[in-house]
């Protein structure tokens, strides 16, 4: 997510695990963003903990 000039700009993520990206037909999407003065980026992940499998 990018905050620029009091506006929020969202960039949609690809919904696939990191380890599977090279095995799938479609790779991760590359986003090119021209950074401007006073831009603020917020990065989120809800999947890191889930990458390891297990009962939970």
């Amino acid at each position: 997510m990018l905050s620029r000039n009091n506006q929020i700009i969202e960039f949609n993520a690809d919904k696939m695990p990191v380890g599977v990206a090279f095995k799938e037909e479609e790779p991760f999407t590359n986003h090119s963003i021209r950074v401007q003065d006073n831009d603020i980026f917020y990065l989120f992940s809800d999947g890191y903990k889930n990458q390891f499998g297990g009962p939970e």
Side-chain angles (χ1 to χ4, degrees):
M1 183 169 42
L2 166 62
S3 174
R4 176 182 288 163
N5 298 324
N6 294 321
Q7 295 183 343
I8 299 295
I9 303 168
E10 292 186 31
F11 299 91
N12 293 328
D14 298 318
K15 296 187 179 200
M16 67 174 123
V18 173
V20 176
F22 296 108
K23 297 177 186 176
E24 298 291 324
E25 293 180 17
E26 294 185 35
F28 285 107
T29 302
N30 288 323
H31 297 278
S32 295
I33 304 165
R34 290 186 180 252
V35 179
Q36 298 178 7
D37 288 342
N38 300 315
D39 279 356
I40 300 172
F41 287 90
Y42 296 92
L43 305 175
F44 302 91
S45 173
D46 67 346
Y48 176 77
K49 188 175 177 181
N50 297 333
Q51 296 295 314
F52 301 105
E56 296 183 27

